[in-house]
Amino acid sequence: MELAARLAQVDAGIEAAAHAAGRDPASITRIVVTKFHPPALVEELYALGVRDVGENRQQELSEKTAALSALGDLRWHFIGQAQTNKAKAIRAAASVVHSVDRPRIADALDAAATAESPVLDVLIQVNLTDDAGRGGVAPDELERLADHVSGCGTLRLRGVMAVAPLGEDPAPAFSRLADYSARVRAVAADATWISAGMTADFPQAIAAGATHLRIGSAITGPRPIPG
Ligand SMILES: *Cc1c(COP(=O)(O)O)cnc(C)c1O
């Protein structure tokens, strides 16, 4: 199947899941995860109308945004583990950072504000597993981190992000995420975004209220081996 057909198929799936959940499909942003794929794929996606793309590694993000700077209205979402020494480069390239999971990375992103990036949209990544080694803040530290991010003058806290645990039904995991979203909204009323749902589980994420889907291989096809 061609790229355009896969994109259309995923979008039809999003629409069907939204209708099944009684939600307006227009309230859902589909981010195409382009990691490990060349800039030419992003250009193809752009020509098909895609305006939101996701990357999980800073270096790749920086290289692609530089190569594709002519696509001015493309929004780059950083969805990977963020390191404090890369905060400046991430902020220079990304419109949204989904993966704030500790106060230090919030501080580093905040300190990296420039005239070109006076305000940065960020999400708090929450760990839905019991494994502290996975990305994301532990749920019992959620309010404290939300409070901290809210106090960062150049960051706009938009909501929460999570990856469904491996080997668990995604539906109950996403339902926990919906609870975490409500807890963050109690701290920051505007933080209404829920970034959840990938190739394997986006219908369940939509049922649980996801507003931002991060879909890679269902649209792009299999990923090349990372370089
Ligand atoms: C790679 C990645 C995705 C997309 O995964 P697919 O299974 O290819 O849809 C989504 N979110 C994150 C954080 C990722 O790293």
Side-chain angles (χ1 to χ4, degrees), residues 34 38-53 64-76 93 95:
T34 49
L41 180 89
V42 179
E43 286 181 303
E44 274 185 74
L45 288 163
Y46 186 89
L48 294 169
V50 170
R51 292 295 179 271
D52 291 275
V53 293
K64 283 186 195 164
T65 52
L68 299 170
S69 60
L71 310 182
D73 58 344
L74 195 55
R75 282 176 296 275
W76 294 88
S95 304

Side-chain angles (χ1 to χ4, degrees), residues 33 35 56 79-80 161 163 197-200 214-218 223:
V33 177
K35 64 187 183 200
N56 73 334
I79 62 174
M161 176 275 216
V163 177
M198 313 180 8
T199 288
R214 310 177 310 269
I215 303 179
S217 45
R223 277 185 280 278

Side-chain angles (χ1 to χ4, degrees), residues 1-11 32-34 37 40-48 50 216-221:
M1 210 193 301
E2 296 297 323
L3 185 64
R6 289 193 302 260
L7 181 66
Q9 190 175 62
V10 166
D11 284 348
V32 183
V33 177
T34 49
H37 287 283
L41 180 89
V42 179
E43 286 181 303
E44 274 185 74
L45 288 163
Y46 186 89
L48 294 169
V50 170
S217 45
I219 295 170
T220 63

